[in-house]
Amino acid sequence: MRVTFKVWRENDEVRGFRSYAIEANEHMSFLEALDVVNEMIIREHEKYPEGPIAFDHDCREGICGMCSMVIDGHPHGPRQATTTCQLHMRSFGDGDEILVEPWRARAFPVIKDLVVDRTAFDTIQQAGGYVSVGTGAAPDANALPIGKTVADEAFDYAACIGCGACVAACPNASGMLFVGAKVVHLAILPQGNVERSQRVSAMVAAHDEAGFGGCTNHEECEAACPKEISVDAIAKLNVELMRAAVRS
Amino acid sequence: MDLDSRVPSGPLAEKWDAHRFALKLVNPANKRGYRILVVGSGLAGASAAATLAELGYEVDCFCFQDSPRRAHSIAAQGGINAAKNYQNDGDSVFRLFYDTVKGGDFRSREANVYRLAQVSVNIIDQCVAQGVPFAREYGGTLANRSFGGAQVSRTFYARGQTGQQLLLGAYSSLNRQIARGKVHMHNRTEMLDLVLVDGHARGLITRDLLTGEIKRWAGDAVVMATGGYGNVFYLSTNAKGCNVTATFRAFKRGAGFANPCFTQIHPTCIPVSGDYQSKLTLMSESLRNDGRVWVPRNKEDVAKAPGDIAESDRYYYLEERYPSFGNLVPRDVASRAAKKVCDDGFGVGHVVEGRRNAVYLDFADAIKRDGRDMVADKYGNLFDMYERISGESPYKQPMRIYPAVHYTMGGLWVDYNLMSTIPGLHVLGEANFSDHGANRLGASALMQGLADGYFVIPYTIGNYLVTAHKGEVTTDHPAFDETQSAVEAKQAKLVALDGATPVDAFHRELGLIMWEYCGMARTAEGLKTALVKIPELRERFWKEARVHGGGDTLNASLEKAGRVADFLEFAEVMVRDALERDESCGGHFREEHQTPDGEAVRHDETYAHAAVWEFKGEGETPVRHTEPMAFEHVKLSTRSYK
Ligand SMILES: Cc1cc2nc3c(=O)[nH]c(=O)nc-3n(C[C@H](O)[C@H](O)[C@H](O)COP(=O)(O)OP(=O)(O)OC[C@H]3O[C@@H](n4cnc5c(N)ncnc54)[C@H](O)[C@@H]3O)c2cc1C
Ligand code: FES
């Protein structure tokens, strides 16, 4: 299949879209097709002085959260519950032109081409996304029974890979789904209960300070999340916030 | 080379306790005066950095990804072992120890493995306290499953994302220390060299991957937890960034490299589909609990749809050849068995380069027995992953799988304190060699990484600081000038590569050489061929490769070039190790040494040791030393899973 990638380039040499046509194959992953583009750029470097396309990736199996591209207007592309690295060319047709852009959000400045700076996500987690338990201070694991449904629900929220697709999808560039996922994961488990109020207040404050927008219920984040984290996280986050306000 | 393992004397079960008592302690008030440089933020690095900071040390932690949460540990799927015996099925610390030593085909250090089994129970407690959502029973207790090479159910798991949940737990502890200002985290920073002062590891030279700035860091001790080198094969289940650079450059500074040829080929991965392939995806070993492995009994059937092959025409080769372990034989055994049936012409799936390299992993019986929902509950996300990649649903037809490079048991040599042959340089996790011998059992790497980081290094590093460490050093020391100049010269040489061939092309070619001659089956002749081909390829690399762009910006082709250059040198050490080890053991299968029915034959009289390689200078052949492995508690025997 013949496809053309129309890619946002942003570096010292260029700022704008550039097109690259290659021969792909339906079993290739999307990133493998971009590898082919980059190899072509290197082999024909005189024709492409802008150099290979910079993009983030590592595990290439949908779990590290490193890959981050808006493909044809959708964060991680057209397929539901699928990261960019798990997307395969069979999702596209022969002759397609595919538009590729970086995450765009004030809190995620572009570093180069498709690479953005997501340090703000770490900053939010550092504000309180943990249980304060030092190594060695833990009781026997089975001393604290937790029902299967509670554990499963906690897992559903803990599955967040921190990729930032939720922010990229949101018209306000809000990171509330990301914050909610961690707050709710820890709030519903007994281990997280003690620091529940502080945690939610501190994480939301860090979120706002980092320049993310507020949530106005567009629910685009849920549709874009490759791990299908439910927007219920945001509703529950708001309950947690109210609870914290009442207690303080 | 000093290869004293420093294993304490006394009964096996009391060694670690006695040792902890004998170790010198750092006065709590003095701890903040020490700076520890931790390279790596995977399970081993993150748990070590967080725990050392909790104890009061000042910590700098480095990783090359944009966040510590993205270390390769995040990808582990199946689970983590612990001798909790929650299932009351006869497990114990001794049994976990025994299984691990036997699984490693008697090439690991007994005392280290015993300690690993002992602290395994604390790991689960710690992770649960952090909020790791392990799978649970309806009554609220923790659930377990069994994993290859074990007959008890001791593996704890969080759906098919155990590594992710454990790493996020360690990351949360790390974050707490970052917030307290005790850990300084340096993302997108690659370690390019180790700085030695008076023979001790006292610093690092790093490159900021965004700006290209080469920086120096001084510390009182260095901890490296930089993961494995499976990507020397180009195609592996590892993340793309996994590399040998940190450990290989430490090797060049004098750290012994132990058993580099011990690599693990995982039996259940999605087969290669074409030459553009950039990585291979693992399908967790846990699938073998319920999936049955088979190929057609008749060669005429290999191209048929699996559903059209009658039950009596299916060859469940693991169940038939290994009746007592069946589909749960260890990885090395399962991988070789798959290779054998495919070599013999019974492979299924697409024809790639004239061969069908796949076997079936079939869930039809499990679905019939337990229902689709129960199977989906256990393996849903793995099934979805398979479907995304292959376009086929494992609920409807068997998966097609084939072995792929997965894990490296070899690594920098460490003593019982996890210190390498360079004083002050400690090595944790997959980067060291100590616990898995010639073959790692499933669910034991996560256990080892966290054992090293949470429960071993926090004690042993103090002893080094009190007894051997030699005063303050700053980055003004001339050793930093020298090492930085060497790094800059090397970087300049890479930036100057102005051929026309992308670096990946050389990496791919190296991978093919390694897979062919140093992969699942090795021969002296093949290994000697590799020793000719690798230097040729290396020479072509330095003539024909192209690094595009300069060194002062984010430049993936430069990063890759540095890593591939190291792989091209390291591969040779690995092949030499495989050649010198003239026996079969675990993942190292030398065709010259096998029983008539294809099982590995060890030579304990000559090879019951770790081979430790010493760097002797550029262009010189490294020298092989040995640390004998004595087995006092587990009888050396031929592994049998029949
Ligand atoms: C797909 C897959 C599934 C697996 N499943 C299981 C399982 O179910 N159970 C199990 O027990 N094991 C499993 N394993 C093995 C296990 O995941 C790894 O062995 C283990 O996580 C390694 O942890 P680590 O901390 O040693 O290294 P890693 O997690 O690889 O971390 C390495 C760290 O070092 C950093 N680093 C590397 N080089 C440099 C450098 N030069 N400069 C700066 N930083 C550097 C990286 O940024 C990273 O932070 C699996 C492995 C794979 C590939
Ligand atoms: S590269 Fe890891 S999630 Fe895509």
Side-chain angles (χ1 to χ4, degrees):
Chain A
M1 63 196 283
R2 185 103 192 139
V3 289
T4 304
F5 292 98
K6 196 172 164 196
V7 184
W8 179 259
R9 304 301 310 266
E10 183 169 340
N11 57 49
D12 294 344
E13 269 97 276
V14 279
R15 192 159 194 286
F17 286 100
R18 289 285 183 278
S19 289
Y20 307 95
I22 58 154
E23 200 57 47
N25 143 344
E26 58 175 18
H27 297 300
M28 274 182 184
S29 73
F30 190 82
L31 295 184
E32 283 165 351
L34 284 187
D35 291 341
V36 172
V37 171
N38 273 344
E39 294 211 2
M40 173 182 82
I41 291 176
I42 290 178
R43 286 184 201 275
E44 301 173 30
H45 52 270
E46 276 152 17
K47 190 165 148 204
Y48 303 106
E50 69 274 24
I53 306 160
F55 60 90
D56 269 331
H57 66 106
D58 197 23
C59 74
R60 294 203 175 189
E61 54 184 70
I63 194 74
C64 74
M66 194 104 178
C67 60
S68 41
M69 297 175 196
V70 177
I71 301 164
D72 285 340
H74 304 282
H76 291 306
R79 228 189 116 130
Q80 190 92 51
T82 303
T83 55
T84 300
C85 59
Q86 290 179 302
L87 188 63
H88 279 68
M89 294 310 287
R90 71 177 75 89
S91 295
F92 300 90
D94 188 29
D96 278 4
E97 182 182 78
I98 306 165
L99 192 69
V100 189
E101 301 164 87
W103 281 179
R104 295 203 187 274
R106 188 148 68 95
F108 290 162
V110 173
I111 293 171
K112 186 174 181 180
D113 300 338
L114 304 173
V115 176
V116 300
D117 182 351
R118 285 172 288 191
T119 322
F121 265 12
D122 282 336
T123 312
I124 293 173
Q125 295 295 338
Q126 287 155 17
Y130 46 76
V131 174
S132 297
V133 53
T135 303
D140 184 84
N142 258 353
L144 187 68
I146 299 171
K148 180 169 166 27
T149 27
V150 175
D152 284 350
E153 192 189 356
F155 180 95
D156 289 339
Y157 292 110
C160 169
I161 59 173
C163 62
C166 47
V167 177
C170 175
N172 308 336
S174 171
M176 277 303 174
L177 188 65
F178 172 77
V179 180
K182 182 50 66 183
V183 165
V184 179
H185 155 215
L186 292 178
I188 58 185
L189 288 177
Q191 299 93 310
N193 207 23
V194 177
E195 295 164 294
R196 202 165 158 182
S197 303
Q198 276 147 270
R199 177 179 309 116
V200 65
S201 315
M203 288 182 76
V204 170
H207 166 273
D208 296 349
E209 196 168 313
F212 293 100
C215 170
T216 49
N217 301 317
H218 289 276
E219 304 195 0
E220 298 286 345
C221 51
E222 181 184 88
C225 176
K227 296 295 144 183
E228 300 186 291
I229 293 176
S230 156
V231 280
D232 291 354
I234 301 179
K236 289 179 178 163
L237 170 72
N238 287 328
V239 173
E240 288 297 313
L241 265 178
M242 273 186 302
R243 185 180 170 279
V246 170
R247 303 224 158 184
S248 68
Chain B
M1 194 161 247
D2 172 16
L3 296 178
D4 178 356
S5 66
R6 294 183 183 80
V7 169
S9 55
L12 185 65
E14 289 162 29
K15 281 184 198 292
W16 178 229
D17 240 9
H19 190 62
R20 276 191 296 176
F21 182 70
L23 288 173
K24 295 274 182 294
L25 298 176
V26 179
N27 176 325
N30 291 343
K31 284 190 181 131
R32 75 175 76 91
Y34 289 113
R35 178 169 298 279
I36 317 285
L37 307 175
V38 179
V39 192
S41 64
L43 286 177
S47 58
T51 307
L52 290 169
E54 284 166 14
L55 289 174
Y57 296 109
E58 292 293 326
V59 177
D60 281 281
C61 183
F62 304 83
C63 74
F64 66 74
Q65 291 91 348
D66 71 333
S67 161
R69 69 180 290 156
R70 306 201 202 283
H72 170 57
S73 295
I74 201 92
Q77 301 173 352
I80 176 167
N81 286 335
K84 282 286 198 187
N85 193 30
Y86 281 162
Q87 304 307 322
N88 198 28
D89 56 1
D91 201 9
S92 63
V93 167
F94 195 88
R95 188 180 291 281
L96 174 55
F97 154 73
Y98 177 91
D99 286 351
T100 308
V101 170
K102 176 184 167 201
D105 215 0
F106 306 96
R107 292 293 176 266
S108 47
R109 201 188 277 144
E110 276 193 342
N112 285 54
V113 179
Y114 194 84
R115 173 177 67 190
L116 176 66
Q118 280 177 306
V119 303
S120 69
V121 298
N122 305 105
I123 295 172
I124 302 304
D125 300 342
Q126 191 63 34
C127 297
V128 167
Q130 290 166 343
V132 169
F134 282 121
R136 292 191 177 250
E137 306 293 351
Y138 282 97
T141 54
L142 289 156
N144 290 110
R145 58 183 169 206
S146 45
F147 239 57
Q151 286 172 314
V152 292
S153 203
R154 62 159 77 99
T155 303
F156 294 78
Y157 62 101
R159 255 172 249 173
Q161 289 161 231
T162 315
Q164 180 201 25
Q165 295 307 318
L166 295 176
L167 184 61
L168 293 181
Y171 165 75
S172 73
S173 294
L174 183 66
N175 280 333
R176 182 164 149 251
Q177 298 307 317
I178 295 173
R180 286 180 63 218
K182 294 297 288 183
V183 175
H184 305 274
M185 188 68 218
H186 309 284
N187 302 334
R188 293 203 197 260
T189 303
E190 183 165 25
M191 166 187 168
L192 293 182
D193 217 335
L194 181 73
V195 183
L196 267 59
V197 174
D198 298 331
H200 285 238
R202 295 305 300 270
L204 303 172
I205 305 293
T206 61
R207 179 170 181 270
D208 179 323
L209 299 181
L210 296 183
T211 63
E213 189 189 358
I214 304 287
K215 268 183 102 164
R216 22 171 109 183
W217 307 86
D220 296 287
V222 177
V223 173
M224 273 175 44
T226 50
Y229 51 84
N231 279 350
V232 67
F233 290 89
Y234 186 68
L235 287 182
S236 82
T237 62
N238 290 5
K240 292 295 286 174
C242 293
N243 65 85
V244 77
T245 290
T247 46
F248 191 65
R249 296 194 183 181
F251 164 73
K252 286 190 161 184
R253 294 277 165 208
F257 209 115
N259 300 331
C261 80
F262 286 171
T263 46
Q264 175 162 82
I265 316 278
H266 195 293
T268 53
C269 304
I270 301 181
V272 176
S273 66
D275 58 8
Y276 47 80
Q277 188 116 20
S278 62
K279 78 155 278 164
L280 294 169
T281 303
L282 173 77
M283 287 285 107
S284 168
E285 177 159 40
S286 60
L287 293 167
R288 285 198 277 145
N289 277 324
D290 289 299
R292 299 179 67 195
V293 178
W294 64 276
V295 290
R297 233 176 243 291
N298 309 308
K299 286 188 191 164
E300 308 81 76
D301 290 346
V302 295
K304 276 193 191 162
D308 295 342
I309 302 173
E311 188 60 30
S312 56
D313 290 334
R314 299 174 175 196
Y315 178 26
Y316 295 92
Y317 57 90
L318 290 177
E319 296 171 22
E320 287 184 27
R321 281 178 62 184
Y322 305 101
S324 72
F325 278 69
N327 293 299
L328 290 178
V329 292
R331 293 174 176 178
D332 52 340
V333 177
S335 291
R336 271 198 300 279
K339 178 177 187 309
K340 182 160 175 13
V341 291
C342 293
D343 285 352
D344 292 348
F346 297 94
V348 297
H350 303 299
V351 179
V352 178
E353 289 175 11
R355 281 173 58 105
R356 293 180 198 273
N357 271 347
V359 301
Y360 290 124
L361 179 61
D362 200 337
F363 296 90
D365 288 346
I367 293 171
K368 214 181 292 161
R369 185 184 65 228
D370 301 333
R372 187 188 152 113
D373 288 352
M374 187 123 139
V375 171
D377 191 49
K378 281 195 204 161
Y379 308 116
N381 67 329
L382 297 170
F383 280 26
D384 293 347
M385 191 194 264
Y386 181 85
E387 186 172 358
R388 268 191 294 265
I389 294 172
S390 68
E392 297 170 357
S393 166
Y395 294 108
K396 299 196 190 114
Q397 65 190 90
M399 287 183 176
R400 268 182 277 109
I401 52 157
Y402 196 68
V405 174
H406 178 57
Y407 180 89
T408 52
M409 283 75 69
L412 292 182
W413 182 90
V414 288
D415 65 13
Y416 191 69
N417 294 323
L418 302 182
M419 190 156 87
S420 71
T421 56
I422 298 177
L425 174 64
H426 298 77
V427 190
L428 321 184
E430 192 172 341
N432 76 21
F433 91 111
S434 69
D435 295 355
H436 309 295
N439 173 57
R440 175 175 70 80
L441 289 184
S444 59
L446 302 182
M447 167 172 75
Q448 182 225 334
L450 291 179
D452 289 358
Y454 283 134
F455 296 112
V456 180
I457 196 69
Y459 301 103
T460 58
I461 208 164
N463 188 64
Y464 165 76
L465 294 170
V466 173
T467 59
H469 169 264
K470 297 188 191 164
E472 201 179 336
V473 167
T474 67
T475 53
D476 297 332
H477 191 282
F480 282 86
D481 295 332
E482 275 162 44
T483 315
Q484 183 169 347
S485 303
V487 166
E488 283 168 351
K490 171 133 198 195
Q491 290 299 109
K493 209 172 140 200
L494 291 167
V495 171
L497 285 171
D498 64 351
T501 310
V503 168
D504 276 336
F506 295 96
H507 196 176
R508 220 174 275 134
E509 216 176 307
L510 175 66
L512 291 175
I513 297 175
M514 296 305 282
W515 184 242
E516 175 74 21
Y517 301 111
C518 199
M520 256 189 290
R522 304 160 171 183
T523 64
E525 200 195 332
L527 292 162
K528 285 180 191 152
T529 311
L531 284 181
V532 175
K533 287 182 178 262
I534 296 166
E536 283 170 5
L537 182 64
R538 196 162 58 223
E539 212 179 297
R540 274 179 33 227
F541 170 84
W542 287 108
K543 276 201 204 115
E544 297 164 19
R546 176 171 195 83
V547 166
H548 197 100
D552 54 357
T553 154
L554 178 62
N555 185 343
S557 81
L558 175 61
E559 290 165 31
K560 276 189 212 162
R563 293 172 191 165
V564 172
D566 288 336
F567 278 135
L568 282 166
E569 291 183 37
F570 171 71
E572 215 177 304
V573 186
M574 213 171 134
V575 171
R576 259 179 227 292
D577 188 46
L579 183 62
E580 296 283 323
R581 188 172 282 279
D582 199 10
E583 64 162 351
S584 294
C585 63
H588 170 66
F589 189 73
R590 284 282 299 267
E591 285 184 3
E592 300 93 326
H593 305 285
Q594 55 179 314
T595 61
D597 57 351
E599 304 296 339
V601 174
R602 286 196 327 260
H603 293 305
D604 293 329
E605 334 67 62
T606 338
Y607 291 104
H609 59 232
V612 188
W613 293 84
E614 182 183 11
F615 181 70
K616 283 290 180 189
E618 299 294 344
E620 303 292 322
T621 307
V623 171
R624 184 179 191 268
H625 304 274
T626 58
E627 182 206 336
M629 294 288 146
F631 294 89
E632 290 166 16
H633 301 88
V634 182
K635 205 170 130 263
L636 274 164
S637 58
T638 300
R639 282 191 311 169
S640 170
Y641 294 94
K642 295 248 177 210

